[in-house]
Amino acid sequence: MAARRLFSTRRRASGGGAYGAAELRNPERELARFRTRLAVAFGVVLIAFAALIGRFAYLQVARHDHFRTLAETNRIAIVPIAPNRGVITDRNGVVLAQSFSAYTLELQPSRLSDLDATIDALAGLVEITPRDRKRFRKLFEESKNFESLPIRTRLSDEEVARFAANRYRFPGVEIKARLFRSYPFGEVASHVIGYIGRITDRDLVRIASWDESADYKGTDTIGKVGVELTYERELHGTTGIEEVEVDAAGRAVRTLSRTPPVSGDNLRLSIDINLQAAAEAAFGARRGALVAIEPASGDVLAFVSKPGYDPNLFVEGIDPASWQELNESPDKPLLNRPLRGAYPPGSTIKPFLALGALASGRRTPTQAFADPGYFQLAGSSHRFRDDKKGGHGIVDMTKAIVVSCDTYFYLLANDTDVDDNWRFMSSLGFGHRTGIDIEGELAGVLPSREWKRQRFAGPQYREEHRKWYLGDSISAGIGQGYTAFTPVQLAHAIATIANDGVAFRPHLVQRIEDARTREVRLVEREPAYTLAVKPGHLDVIRKALVQVNREGTGATAFRGAAYASGGKTGTAQVFSLKGEEYRAHKIDERLRDHAWFIAYAPADRPAIAVAVLVENGGFGAKAAAPIARQVFDYYLLGLKAAGPAPMFEGPLPDDEDASD
């Protein structure tokens, strides 16, 4: 009975458990939940697919054109093609600057893990000199690391083939064809032609101001000085474009289209390169400047700055050693002396002051004065010494110019207001830029009362510094004191006198030839202005200048010349002697007087006018006039000198000595 009760209890317990489990599992509820979950999952999947389809539709329909362009861009590379820079020739068609194509070995630093190791490995295939490495380092420091930079230029065919066979070893290294500039005459006319150099941030600003940034894509160089700089936009040309299909690795597969570049315009200069070479040779090792102008046109026939430099040094980037040598040389070979050298004109100013006195009525040609050998201001014990001890006796205007009499011009300066002199001398171009077509010209110094007030306007100066004194006028009367002219100004002025007072703007470029149409554009040759002077007054000055070369200070240099010429010597102090006698051999060479000579020839129909400066050369008659004679002989007679112009060592005529 007890056992049966126990069994019955267990059975109920067992049956009751099954019943409870059935109550908890409710199949219908679980099915409903499953269906709900399935619906949610389906909805999520549906939404995801809808989003994908929507995005696909957006990309393929709404943004189709945009992404098609991007895809084409990835497939097609736009490669700029640098134009060939224009050719520069002299007036006779002799090439002075031209471009040529050559292979260069280039590195892209951003793709190289070890730059030095790569260069060392390349040196086993092609010659890489220490100079190449220094130049590359300089370029690398100045450039962005993703740019392609040349490590070797002008590779030979053998070197190109050798690298091509090993190219797989050098990712980030490639051979490119680049254009290079060549200057066949080296130092000759270097300050005229100038040079090109690598484009800097400053150049980019200038290019942007022209709104021509796109036209300089693919171009690494730009004109830096000289004609290369002034006529950069004409010489540069128009950049071409090449569309190249590339693969996934960026390698070119085929060329799709090509718009060729247009070469820059060609320039024909007014310079005669043979005359230029003869003029430079006449200087020898002396420092100085020479400007030769055709009076009837303003054509610059020769433009010398000594010493010069070789512009070829700059084409591929000048190496530090060469740059240091040029930049730190005491002879300043990079200084454009005709344009940027402002020097006291000395006695070369006298013909122009005399012409101004005639024009103003302050003097007549026959009006004469006694020269005791000095000039003394009233109420002063100081004497302004004449150029000849004891004086020149009775002196009129012609004799004053021929013998370069200081006393005559001291008196003239005493009798003439400085501002009146300023107005007349300004009409000759002094104190102003001539407008020659090369950048960097200085205006020189033509002093006046207003100029002195402005020059000494700073708080460090007192009122007495700003005041114009009569002593200032006396010094200016012989081309000393504050007065400072450039060689190109003096050449322009003497050319104007030679051309009957008709002035032409001096220019270096004679004509420009369009590279596309071959159309030639001539530089304007209209007169800039005509001096407001009487023809008779000009005749007085020109006759006196002819006498200078016949019997005056230029007579020694022009003895035996087959042509008549007019000229004027000048000697300009570098520092004040303070009353002491000038003895060149006791003075440091760089403190000696500058030697000047201005001239034109032939006297009856001037074909050439020159201004010659020899720095620290001493007397104009001894150092500068012989150079002008050698230049005239070559240009007018075709006589080529065997060497530099001589420095006359004998005694001067009694009309020029230490204080000329």
Side-chain angles (χ1 to χ4, degrees), residues 211-246:
D211 195 23
E212 295 180 6
S213 298
D215 202 32
Y216 277 80
K217 298 295 184 183
T219 301
D220 297 326
T221 56
I222 193 171
K224 294 294 184 178
V225 295
V227 169
E228 291 276 29
L229 168 63
T230 305
Y231 289 87
E232 166 63 28
R233 299 178 74 179
E234 288 82 1
L235 288 165
H236 175 67
T238 304
T239 299
I241 295 175
E242 191 172 57
E243 291 187 339
V244 179
E245 185 176 2
V246 296

Side-chain angles (χ1 to χ4, degrees), residues 28 36 87 90 94 168 179 204 338 549:
E28 291 182 0
T36 301
V87 177
D90 83 335
V94 179
Y168 68 93
L179 291 170
L204 291 174
N549 284 356

Side-chain angles (χ1 to χ4, degrees), residues 82-85 99-102 104 177-181 196 221 315:
N84 201 348
R85 196 170 178 85
S99 299
F100 65 93
S101 180
T104 66
R178 285 183 182 260
L179 291 170
F180 293 91
R181 200 68 162 163
I196 63 172
T221 56
V315 172

Side-chain angles (χ1 to χ4, degrees), residues 46 151 195 418 449 528 536 558 568 575 582 628 644:
L46 188 62
I151 183 69
Y195 58 85
V418 63
R449 287 186 176 85
F558 282 85
K568 183 69 191 79
F575 74 104
Y582 177 83

Side-chain angles (χ1 to χ4, degrees), residues 290-293 430 486-496 598 609-611:
L290 178 147
V291 178
I293 295 177
F430 296 116
T486 64
V488 72
Q489 286 176 327
L490 277 165
H492 172 58
I494 193 62
T496 301
I598 57 174
V610 301

